[in-house]
Amino acid sequence: MNFLAHIYLSGDNELLKIGNFIADGIHGKPDNFPPDVQKGIILHRHIDTYTDAHPIFRQGTKRLHAAYHHYAGVIMDIYYDHFLAKNWKEYSNIPLGDFVNAFYQSLQDNYELLTDRAKGMMPHMIKHDWLGSYATVEGISNILKQMDHRTKYRSGMGNSHKELLEFYNHYELEFNEFFTDIIKSVKEKMAVM
């Protein structure tokens, strides 16, 4: 799962969301952070492990593997954020724009908790409204092109919007089934944290 799904799955706890957001840049035990940020980091790791092992997610990556190799999972994460954003009203009573803007504000309010990587990314994320842009294929296409640029075009991700369009209905149905499963798994994990 990519940023939007991680943030959404964190629930209403602002610091848990921050932890979930910065987790990719944290290795080892996250002892230097406040307890709720630590929980967010741990939750992020659970979500990644669960997602990567889920048969539905793996089925989707198989469609991409021949063209994108080890980037297939990264592309799937982006696709899944697209379907979450596109179908946002099915998962939240808060409008997507309001949810996204509240999170951007939270990043600014908790700047001192962010990793250097997150601090460097945050201005671009807010300026270009990455999270809100996930709702459209054009927005996802732009994100994939930016990610391709970061790999010096070795990944080919800039072209992966074509597979999204080709298998759009398959991916959307798979996402809906998968997301029901991960919501349940996250609730179970949070109950014991």
Side-chain angles (χ1 to χ4, degrees):
M1 308 301 289
N2 204 44
F3 295 129
L4 184 62
H6 276 286
I7 297 161
Y8 170 81
L9 291 167
S10 296
D12 297 329
N13 184 315
E14 187 174 28
L15 292 183
L16 208 111
K17 288 178 185 178
I18 295 290
N20 208 329
F21 175 71
I22 66 172
D24 276 336
I26 312 264
H27 304 287
K29 292 186 177 183
D31 296 338
N32 297 333
F33 294 94
D36 283 345
V37 175
Q38 291 180 38
K39 288 179 183 176
I41 294 166
I42 292 164
L43 182 62
H44 181 103
R45 293 171 181 171
H46 169 78
I47 291 168
D48 281 356
T49 300
Y50 182 88
T51 300
D52 290 345
H54 198 286
I56 292 173
F57 185 85
R58 292 172 64 93
Q59 178 178 316
T61 61
K62 284 180 185 172
R63 284 189 207 102
L64 298 168
H65 189 74
Y68 305 104
H69 310 289
H70 68 274
Y71 293 103
V74 176
I75 294 165
M76 281 292 297
D77 287 343
I78 301 292
Y79 286 3
Y80 276 17
D81 261 16
H82 165 65
F83 290 115
L84 174 58
K86 178 190 174 224
N87 298 302
W88 185 259
K89 290 179 183 177
E90 294 179 31
Y91 299 103
S92 179
N93 294 326
I94 301 167
L96 178 61
D98 293 349
F99 179 88
V100 165
N101 287 331
F103 181 70
Y104 292 156
Q105 186 61 53
S106 178
L107 289 177
Q108 294 169 352
D109 294 345
N110 294 285
Y111 187 80
E112 73 284 354
L113 295 174
L114 302 181
T115 59
D116 290 342
R117 178 177 177 254
K119 287 175 181 175
M121 182 176 30
M122 183 188 75
H124 304 288
M125 173 183 261
I126 294 171
K127 180 180 178 183
H128 299 289
D129 187 21
W130 290 357
L131 300 178
S133 74
Y134 290 161
T136 66
V137 172
E138 180 183 357
I140 288 295
S141 179
N142 289 335
I143 295 290
L144 290 163
K145 286 175 186 171
Q146 289 171 23
M147 294 179 78
D148 197 14
H149 174 72
R150 285 203 302 252
T151 68
K152 298 184 178 163
Y153 304 101
R154 288 188 302 263
S155 69
M157 285 189 280
N159 296 317
S160 62
H161 66 283
K162 294 174 185 172
E163 284 85 357
L164 175 62
L165 293 173
E166 182 179 354
F167 299 105
Y168 197 87
N169 292 335
H170 289 87
Y171 282 123
E172 187 164 22
L173 289 169
E174 289 166 2
F175 167 79
N176 291 332
E177 188 176 343
F178 165 82
F179 210 62
T180 300
D181 291 349
I182 200 164
I183 288 170
K184 181 181 177 198
S185 176
V186 164
K187 284 181 182 174
E188 291 168 356
K189 179 67 175 176
M190 288 177 74
V192 298
M193 284 180 24

